[in-house]
């Protein structure tokens, strides 16, 4: 007969072993019993003879629906004891959750799609509904394909409102819910790129030129950089936004006294600005690169 064990219950006690037909004076040390079979390492037997899941283990119906264990041991008289145990894992309804694929809308983009609300629910065949509520919920709707979007008549305007706040709730068929309040920022494009320094000494490998400073109306925005243009192959941008010569490159004033390259800075919302920069080479008295 199978014993039922609910999923998600860490360290659950399944039952007590009891040795049958012991002779007078014959004892059993359950802690010495061994377990083999399906996922035997999830289980333990206490000195009281309790068969249980280990304290950091819970069963997961969606991964394992049944288990078969073999339990064996010896009595104080050296008689062997063994049993087979069958377990069925019982399904428990798990609450849904969700991810939103993007938290930006572009300035002045009426009816903009924010991103896909991807509902996560462990339970196979469960169905879920999505609702929105909260301060700015009236400006949004959920499209038939599950995307959060601005209503068609709503135009984001960074100058008057830089973000929207709303609560997204997903509810499964059994009524289990999960809510999160999200901030949707109105993204305005970066407006300027300034390099903190525009010259480089000759004869040094991999020199740093300067910091790339980007001005963006979204004060917390961050940027990724790409290089293009005539002399891009001599340069790279570090993770900290520093423009530098590649490690195996040095400038040589007598060979080439300036470089031209274009830096493109792209913000978190995908808007970008580019600027073509000229880096001049400083003439030094020595010539051996190091
Ligand atoms: Ca589960
Ligand atoms: Ca479940
Ligand atoms: Ca569920
Ligand atoms: Ca921005």
């Amino acid at each position: 007969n199978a014993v039922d064990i609910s999923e998600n219950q860490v360290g659950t006690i399944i039952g007590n072993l009891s040795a049958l037909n012991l002779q007078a004076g014959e004892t059993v040390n359950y802690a010495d019993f061994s377990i083999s079979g399906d996922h035997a390492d999830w289980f333990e037997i206490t000195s009281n003879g309790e068969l249980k899941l280990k304290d950091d283990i819970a069963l997961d119906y969606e991964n394992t629906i049944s288990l078969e264990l073999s339990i064996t041991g010896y009595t104080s008289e050296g008689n062997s004891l063994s049993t087979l145990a069958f377990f069925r894992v019982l399904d428990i309804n798990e609450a849904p959750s969700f991810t939103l694929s993007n938290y930006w809308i572009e300035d002045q983009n009426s009816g903009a799609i924010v991103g896909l609300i991807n509902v996560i629910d462990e339970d196979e065949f469960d169905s879920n509904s999505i609702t929105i509520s909260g301060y700015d919920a009236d400006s949004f709707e959920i499209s038939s394909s599950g995307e959060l979007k601005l209503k068609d008549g709503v135009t984001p305007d960074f100058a008057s409102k830089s973000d929207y706040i709303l609560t997204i709730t997903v509810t499964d068929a059994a009524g289990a819910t999960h809510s999160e309040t999200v901030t949707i920022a109105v993204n305005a494009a970066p407006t300027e790129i300034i390099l903190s320094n525009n010259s480089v000494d000759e004869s040094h490998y991999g020199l740093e030129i300067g910091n790339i400073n980007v001005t963006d109306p979204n004060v917390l925005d961050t940027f990724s950089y790409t290089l293009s243009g005539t002399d891009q192959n001599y340069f790279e941008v570090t993770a900290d936004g520093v423009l530098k010569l590649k490690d195996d490159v040095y400038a040589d004033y007598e060979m080439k006294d300036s470089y031209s390259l274009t830096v493109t800075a792209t913000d978190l919302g995908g808007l970008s600005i580019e600027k073509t920069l000229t880096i001049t080479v400083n003439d030094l008295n020595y010539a051996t690169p190091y």
Side-chain angles (χ1 to χ4, degrees), residues 8-290:
N8 298 346
Q9 306 198 0
V10 174
T12 196
I13 295 167
I14 296 153
N16 279 281
L17 302 179
S18 71
L20 302 178
N21 303 322
L22 292 179
Q23 296 157 12
E26 189 175 24
T27 58
V28 166
N29 183 0
Y30 293 107
D32 290 340
F33 277 41
S34 65
I35 308 170
S36 61
D38 302 329
H39 301 293
D41 58 329
W42 292 352
F43 296 86
E44 63 186 4
I45 299 169
T46 68
S47 54
N48 305 329
E50 280 174 344
L51 176 66
K52 64 184 286 294
L53 287 169
K54 289 178 179 172
D55 286 340
D56 57 347
I57 300 285
L59 298 179
D60 178 10
Y61 171 83
E62 283 73 26
N63 280 317
T64 308
I65 60 168
S66 66
L67 294 155
E68 180 180 337
L69 294 181
S70 170
I71 298 164
T72 57
Y74 291 92
T75 69
S76 58
E77 303 302 312
N79 296 315
S80 75
L81 298 171
S82 70
T83 187
L84 275 179
F86 300 92
F87 305 105
R88 255 187 336 208
V89 183
L90 298 185
D91 189 17
I92 299 289
N93 182 47
E94 275 130 338
S97 61
F98 69 87
T99 58
L100 178 59
S101 66
N102 178 51
Y103 291 84
W104 295 92
I105 45 178
E106 198 176 319
D107 196 18
Q108 306 302 326
N109 184 5
S110 299
I113 291 171
V114 182
L116 185 67
I117 299 170
N118 182 34
V119 178
I120 301 151
D121 191 315
E122 273 197 34
D123 302 305
E124 206 182 1
F125 309 124
D126 209 345
S127 62
N128 285 274
S129 61
I130 306 168
T131 56
I132 52 178
S133 59
Y135 191 67
D136 291 318
D138 286 351
S139 298
F140 292 86
E141 63 190 8
I142 310 287
S143 76
S144 57
S145 50
E147 288 164 327
L148 178 68
K149 68 179 288 295
L150 281 177
K151 288 178 178 170
D152 285 342
V154 177
T155 303
D157 178 40
F158 178 84
S160 59
K161 183 172 175 57
S162 61
D163 52 37
Y164 293 83
I165 296 171
L166 72 158
T167 300
I168 299 173
T169 301
V170 290
T171 305
D172 73 10
T177 68
H178 173 74
S179 293
E180 263 176 57
T181 297
V182 298
T183 299
I184 308 301
V186 179
N187 186 29
T191 54
E192 176 64 296
I193 294 177
I194 294 177
L195 190 61
S196 65
N197 172 55
N198 288 76
S199 65
V200 61
D201 285 351
E202 63 172 334
S203 304
H204 290 262
Y205 282 105
L207 272 190
E208 293 188 354
I209 319 291
N211 290 304
I212 302 170
N213 297 315
V214 181
T215 306
D216 189 295
N218 306 101
V219 291
L220 297 179
D221 220 341
T222 60
F223 308 92
S224 59
Y225 302 97
T226 55
L227 300 179
S228 56
T230 313
D231 296 321
Q232 60 163 304
N233 288 334
Y234 297 96
F235 296 91
E236 64 188 8
V237 180
T238 69
D240 296 328
V242 175
L243 180 70
K244 65 182 284 294
L245 289 172
K246 288 180 178 172
D247 286 343
D248 59 350
V249 171
Y250 64 89
D252 181 348
Y253 178 82
E254 285 70 27
M255 297 292 291
K256 183 173 176 62
D257 63 4
S258 76
Y259 297 93
S260 173
L261 76 160
T262 300
V263 176
T264 301
T266 303
D267 70 15
L268 284 176
L271 297 178
S272 63
I273 184 173
E274 63 172 47
K275 189 170 186 181
T276 297
L277 304 168
T278 300
I279 311 296
T280 58
V281 179
N282 301 322
D283 189 15
L284 301 182
N285 288 330
Y286 45 84
T288 307
Y290 64 94

